[in-house]
Amino acid sequence: MEVSFKNYLISDDRFKINREIVLDFLSKSYWAKNRAPERILKSIETSHCYGVYCEDDQIGFARVITDEATFYYICDVFVLEEYRGQGIGKKLIETIVHSERYEWMTGLLGTADAHGLYEQYGFGKDPERFMRRPPQSRMK
């Protein structure tokens, strides 16, 4: 799948993903800064990944985890700072949530600071239903 947006391309071709860009960004993010690089690389290999490109340079990313039947979970969404404010993140989320692949599934995600963005695409807060169990130890 490829979607053109302004001068950008959104693609779900995992082989186009610039793993160094993803590793660099996530290592500095509030949500993944403690994730080991090998865990990040494994997550790319086992998820549906979406890259955003300006010419040949990757400038954005999102990852979707799914059981292919009932739910999908959007995570690790980012647009590089110098490209923000142009609607790229919105188009990336729009592309994912309007994909036929996820059409009849429940969408989930976690965010500390982008509730307004995701609410535009039908996500709502549900603090009474979901629980979280953090990792119990680090893989060796």
Side-chain angles (χ1 to χ4, degrees):
M1 175 281 315
E2 291 191 344
V3 173
S4 294
F5 174 70
K6 298 181 181 178
N7 295 325
Y8 306 105
L9 175 71
I10 299 172
S11 173
D12 66 351
D13 182 348
R14 183 181 303 129
F15 298 105
K16 287 185 176 186
I17 300 295
N18 182 326
R19 284 147 175 79
E20 291 304 314
I21 295 288
V22 175
L23 285 168
D24 183 62
F25 188 93
L26 292 180
S27 73
K28 298 171 188 166
S29 70
Y30 71 83
W31 68 88
K33 65 184 174 195
N34 294 322
R35 247 186 248 163
E38 59 273 10
R39 296 288 88 207
I40 292 170
L41 293 172
K42 178 72 172 178
S43 73
I44 291 170
E45 296 307 317
T46 58
S47 303
H48 299 165
C49 296
Y50 295 80
V52 183
Y53 305 91
C54 179
E55 297 178 7
D56 292 329
D57 296 326
Q58 184 168 349
I59 59 140
F61 179 77
R63 196 164 61 83
V64 178
I65 304 164
T66 181
D67 67 359
E68 301 286 349
T70 62
F71 86 98
Y72 64 93
Y73 179 79
I74 300 174
C75 54
D76 294 340
V77 178
F78 70 83
V79 172
L80 296 179
E81 190 169 347
E82 57 268 32
Y83 292 92
R84 294 181 189 163
Q86 300 180 56
I88 298 167
K90 289 180 180 181
K91 187 64 176 181
L92 177 57
I93 297 305
E94 176 186 304
T95 299
I96 293 168
V97 301
H98 291 147
S99 168
E100 287 183 25
R101 180 177 218 160
Y102 312 117
E103 187 174 21
W104 295 103
M105 297 183 204
T106 298
L108 302 171
L109 59 83
T111 185
D113 60 357
H115 296 92
L117 167 67
Y118 296 111
E119 287 170 348
Q120 295 174 51
Y121 297 97
F123 288 90
K125 295 179 185 177
D126 191 355
E128 296 180 21
R129 182 171 177 200
F130 294 100
M131 299 178 72
R132 178 176 181 266
R133 181 180 185 265
Q136 300 302 299
S137 69
R138 219 174 146 88
M139 289 187 68
K140 294 178 173 84

